[in-house]
Structures are given as C-alpha cells and as structure tokens.
C-alpha cells in the first residue's frame, strides 16, 4: 500500500526549487544558516546548502537539532525506543537568518519544539521553515515558508521522505496505515484518497 | 551486544540490568552531555516533574550531581537530608518515603546506610526510585558514569582489563562497577589487603589479588577506592601510612603500568593514602571527567524514569535475591490500607 508522490529526479528538482526560493527571498545571504531537524531534516538541509552554493556561490552553515527534549508529549515508550541524538549547531543563532528544515510538516508540534530549542542558542533575526512535504492536519498555528509538495492524505496514512543517505533512494511516498491484526479496518484503504 | 530499551520503574542495581540496557543508558548519556556544553544548560523535558533527593548519608558529589541533573531537565528538585528530616524524630524510612510520595513526587533518589534500602522502597512506592548508594551493596549511577568514562577513552569493553584497588569489601561502587564491567565483556581484577576483600570475592567473577603490582601490570583502567572507615573498615585497618606504603597508587608504582593506563576514583579522595597527588592530578587521571559525565548520566536516568506514565505497570518487580520475600497477602493488605 505505497504510493510514490515524488521519484528520485523529482525530489532533487524540488530541492533545487526550494533552494531557489530561499535565495530569492533572503536578500543578503551572509547571515543565512540552515538547521535540520533530526534525522532526515539534517540530510535535506545539507543538500539544500549545496544547492544554494551552486546558485549563489556561498555555502550556508548547516546545524542539526534533536527536539526530543523540547517536545510537549514526553513519551516514555518513544524515549525508551529512540536514541536521543546530539544537537549540533556549529554557529550562534544570534542575528542569523535561520531556515529550519524538516521532512514532513504535520501537526506542527515538532516545529514548535524546534523553535523552543532554537532560541536557546541565541536570538535569530528571523526563522523560516522549509519542508519537503506538507500533509495538513495542523494542531498548532504553524505554517511553512517553503514547501516541496502539498499533500492531502487521511490521518491514518504515513507520509515518508526517503533519502539516499538513509534509505538508499530518494522518494516521497504515502503509505496506507497497516491495519493491526484483530482490529477491523474502517472504510476503504486511504490509497484512493484524492 | 546491542542496546535494548530501558523500561524499568526503578534503577536499583547494575546487577539486575542486561548488557543491552546498560548500553542504552550509555548511549543516551551522550546527548545529555551536549546539553551540559551549551551556554544555556537547560531543556524543558521534565517540566512539572518533581525529583526528591533523600539522603541519609553524607554526600557532596552524588547529591549535587542529581540536583544539577534534575534542574537542567527543568524538574523541581528538593533535597532532604537525614539530619534535618523527621527520621530524627523517630519516623521510619518507609513512612518518610511514603509521605514524600504522597506529595506527588515522580522520582525519589535515595541514599541509605542499609544495603537493600532502595530495593525496599522500590517495592513499597509507586513512584520511581533511584538507588544513590545503599550500604555496601550497590551504587548504580556511579557505575554508569564510570562505564561511560571508560568507553569514552577505550571505545570497547571486550578484552579490557580493569583493576579496582582498595577497600572492596565495603565498597558499593566496586560491586556495581564489577557487575557492569563483566556484563559488558571486560575482565576485572580486585586488589586490597585481605581483610578488605569481600568474603564473597570468589563469586563476583573477578580475579582476586592482594599484590598491588599484579593489579597494575597489564591493566587498561585502574580504579582506586577510599578506605571506608565509616562502614567499619577501621577494625582491620593498620593506618593510613602503612596502607599508602603497601597499596597506595604512586607514580613509582605506575612505572610498570601500560602507557595509556586510565586512572579513576569515585571520590572523595584521601590524597596521599590510596593515591598520591601527582597521580590524581596526572595526565592519565580522568577523575574530574567522571564527575562531569556523572551529571549527563543522571540526566539520562531521570529522563527515562520520569517519562514513565503514572499508570504504567512496573514491568519487573524489584527483587533482591538475598532478601527473604515478605508474605504476599500481608503486603496486599498494606497496599489496600495505603489507598
């Protein structure tokens, strides 16, 4: 039950477009810095930085943020499962033009946590958000400034950005939620959603 | 050996943990270290959680370390010590602890002179209990920070030779360290004058020697321990000077040691007794690193325990094999009364 929204070439083209938009809407690229949200956001941020360098000649610094400790839903199961990763910002955020980079924008809670984390590293001049996919379903007043692809999917579905660095291939896929054994499926599978 | 999730209600001993759980805790420690290196050393993870340090024995390092760890995670931390608590008025340990729990405490960090005190409270209380040292039994968070420090320098425990020199019999640090090191695949040698070697030395799984030269030769890590006069080591103790002459870790004794021998000590140090100052402050000493990593290590523990949902059942009932189990029906009645 997997539908490919973007293939490898389209993912790369989308990143180049996002890089264009960031350069176009930033003005002075000097204070620009990209901050990826672990794990996939970091890889996306690194690629965006390279694309921005190809366009403008200047390579913005890239940082990595683990927002787990800033989440509002301290979840023991999740914390017992997921290994925390180090936050690594090789620059001060003070007076920076920060672009937060994440793979999928959904409830907005990760972004809220990322903003809370970011301000501990200095007061940025401006923070904007770039995501590979926006799937709707917000629970907080958050929006993205740069969006790779807007999707409309059912709440149960999983939107996944696959990246060569981790998954061996680039793609944006939508997966219907696997029905847990014993629980009756409600309605048709989400793969036929508009 | 791969890390496996830590899902316990309490942290009571190293012996009850699996190698995978220990590795998981060491891995988690890494990211909390990064928090301690920031300008703003605080994350909101445990906002609204309450951590109580209940210390019935003197402590500088451990108590401060737990307090700092809790505060850096935004928990509310309260310190209680025996001298100022109601135990002075005759209250039992159980009553003191249950009263503290009644104030909606999430984690109780306890140090007590009685071996098994933390296990007892773990069984009695619904909040999480961390053993910060119980008598001559265990001091699991010290072992976790020791293991973390060793891994930082030696990368792998397989084939590693660790020697522990000093008053092993009265040392809870030694018991926790030995358990952890053996689980992770290191070889352990314990060394001290025979009255300071535990009666059960043979069953600990460590090589035993009374000659300090044997403990130094071939060792990759050397952990020196203080003589625990307050725990009854005095009876057979010949005196500081004689101990220093025969067992003190001095630069001269280390001439036969491996070049990269790591020097550790859980503190407090009696300089010039178990270790000479030039060794304690020497290039291979990581004693202050141990203290530094201790905060991160305790942050990892508090984070995992406080994240537990209140209604989450304790996955494994705490147990202390040596201790005879209490009759179950009686305990159930007590629980019912408590509610």
């Amino acid at each position: 039950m997997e539908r490919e929204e973007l293939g490898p070439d389209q993912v790369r083209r989308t990143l180049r477009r996002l890089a264009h938009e960031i350069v176009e809407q930033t003005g002075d690229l000097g204070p620009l810095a990209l901050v990826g949200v672990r794990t996939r956001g970091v890889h996306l941020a690194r690629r965006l930085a390279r694309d921005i360098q190809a366009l403008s000649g200047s390579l913005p610094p890239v940082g990595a943020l683990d927002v787990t400790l800033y989440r509002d839903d301290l979840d023991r199961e999740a914390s017992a499962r997921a290994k925390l990763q180090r936050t690594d910002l090789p620059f001060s955020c003070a007076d920076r033009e920060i672009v937060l980079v994440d793979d999928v924008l959904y409830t907005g809670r990760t972004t809220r946590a990322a903003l809370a984390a970011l301000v501990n590293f200095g007061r940025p001049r401006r923070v904007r958000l770039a995501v590979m996919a926006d799937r709707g379903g917000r629970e907080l007043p958050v929006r993205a400034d740069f969006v790779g692809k807007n999707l409309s999917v059912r709440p149960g579905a999983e939107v996944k950005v696959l990246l060569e660095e981790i998954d061996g291939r680039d793609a944006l896929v939508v997966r219907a939620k696997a029905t847990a054994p014993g629980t009756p499926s409600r309605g048709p599978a989400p793969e036929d959603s508009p | 050996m791969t890390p496996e999730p830590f899902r316990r209600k309490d942290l009571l001993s190293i012996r009850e943990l699996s190698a995978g759980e220990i590795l998981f805790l060491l891995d988690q420690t890494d990211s909390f270290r990064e928090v301690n290196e920031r300008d703003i050393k605080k994350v909101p993870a445990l906002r609204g959680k309450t951590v109580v340090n209940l210390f019935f024995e003197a402590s500088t390092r451990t108590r401060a370390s737990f307090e700092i760890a809790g505060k850096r995670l935004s928990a509310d931390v309260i310190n209680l010590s025996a001298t100022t608590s109601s135990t002075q008025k005759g209250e039992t340990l159980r009553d003191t602890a249950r009263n503290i729990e009644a104030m909606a405490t999430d984690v109780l960090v306890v140090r007590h002179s009685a071996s098994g005190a933390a296990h007892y409270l773990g069984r009695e209380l619904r909040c999480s209990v961390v053993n910060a040292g119980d008598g001559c039994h265990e001091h699991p968070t010290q072992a976790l920070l020791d293991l973390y420090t060793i891994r930082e320098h030696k990368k792998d425990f397989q084939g590693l030779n660790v020697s522990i020199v000093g008053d092993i019999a009265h040392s809870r640090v030694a018991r926790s360290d030995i358990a952890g090191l053996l689980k992770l695949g290191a070889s352990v040698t314990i060394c001290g004058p025979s009255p300071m070697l535990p009666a059960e030395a043979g069953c600990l799984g460590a090589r035993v020697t009374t000659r300090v030269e044997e403990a130094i030769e071939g060792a990759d890590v050397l952990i020196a321990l203080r003589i625990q006069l307050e725990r009854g080591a005095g009876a057979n103790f010949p005196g500081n000077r004689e101990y220093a002459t025969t067992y003190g870790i001095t630069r001269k004794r280390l001439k036969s040691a491996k070049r990269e021998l790591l020097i550790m000590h859980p503190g407090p140090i009696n300089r010039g007794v178990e270790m000479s100052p030039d060794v304690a402050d020497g290039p291979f000493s990581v004693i202050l690193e141990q203290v530094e990593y201790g905060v991160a290590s305790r942050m990892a523990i508090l984070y995992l325990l406080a994240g537990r949902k209140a209604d989450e059942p304790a996955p494994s009932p705490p147990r202390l094999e040596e201790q005879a189990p209490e009759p179950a029906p009686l305990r159930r009645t007590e629980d019912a009364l408590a509610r």
Side-chain angles (χ1 to χ4, degrees), chain B residues 267-322:
Chain B
I269 302 181
N270 289 323
R271 284 172 177 263
V273 184
E274 70 267 17
M275 188 180 281
S276 65
D278 54 349
V279 172
D281 306 325
F284 298 110
S285 160
V286 290
I287 295 170
L288 289 176
E289 257 177 69
Q290 292 174 263
V291 179
E292 178 193 335
Y293 301 153
V295 174
S297 179
R298 289 174 177 121
M299 285 168 83
I301 289 294
L302 293 178
Y303 174 69
L304 283 167
L305 293 182
R308 201 175 60 95
K309 303 267 187 312
D311 51 359
E312 197 177 310
S316 54
R319 60 180 200 283
L320 195 64
E321 286 89 335
E322 298 87 352

Side-chain angles (χ1 to χ4, degrees), chain A residues 10 33 134-135 161:
Chain A
Q10 288 165 301
D134 181 347
R135 60 168 292 179
V161 174

Side-chain angles (χ1 to χ4, degrees), chain B residues 162-166 168-169 178 182 187-212 214-215 247:
Chain B
V162 182
S163 290
I164 308 178
V165 179
I168 314 286
I178 293 167
L182 292 177
S187 307
V188 182
T189 300
I190 53 176
C191 170
S194 46
M196 290 182 185
L197 292 172
E200 82 277 18
C203 337
L204 289 173
R207 187 169 73 110
V208 184
T209 175
T210 52
R211 291 190 58 239
V212 70
E214 269 178 39
Y247 288 96

Side-chain angles (χ1 to χ4, degrees), chain A residues 38-194:
Chain A
R38 298 253 187 213
T39 310
R40 284 179 169 70
V42 179
H43 294 290
L44 287 171
R46 289 204 190 107
R47 290 211 213 165
L48 274 174
R50 283 198 295 273
D51 285 344
I52 289 171
Q53 184 185 28
L55 284 169
S56 67
S58 74
L59 180 71
V62 176
L65 212 55
D66 186 310
V67 304
T68 316
L69 299 173
Y70 293 85
R71 296 198 67 94
D72 54 10
D73 44 359
L74 176 57
D75 177 358
R76 151 89 158 210
E77 232 351 86
S79 49
R81 235 184 261 285
K83 176 180 166 357
L84 281 168
Q85 288 169 298
R86 291 171 79 97
T87 286
D88 180 21
L89 294 180
F91 47 82
S92 160
C93 290
D95 265 329
R96 284 273 185 187
E97 286 271 356
I98 303 283
V99 176
L100 267 179
V101 184
D102 203 355
D103 50 357
V104 180
L105 178 58
Y106 184 15
T107 60
R109 288 182 194 272
T110 305
T111 306
R112 188 212 61 83
L115 289 170
L118 210 53
V119 294
N120 283 315
F121 297 91
R123 181 181 183 276
R125 189 183 298 175
R126 176 162 62 152
V127 182
R128 286 170 297 169
L129 175 63
V131 296
M132 194 64 207
D134 181 347
R135 60 168 292 179
R138 221 73 82 232
E139 292 168 7
L140 292 170
V142 169
R143 66 167 176 78
D145 301 85
F146 309 101
V147 180
K149 176 135 179 107
N150 282 297
L151 296 171
S152 168
V153 290
R154 299 182 180 204
E158 186 194 9
V159 177
K160 196 96 191 146
V161 174
L162 303 180
L163 294 174
E164 243 173 47
E165 293 91 326
I166 301 169
D167 313 288
R169 71 179 171 119
D170 287 343
L172 171 63
V173 299
V174 177
R175 286 176 191 154
K177 196 182 188 179
T179 316
T183 49
S185 151
R186 263 184 246 159
E191 60 175 341
D192 56 13
S193 63

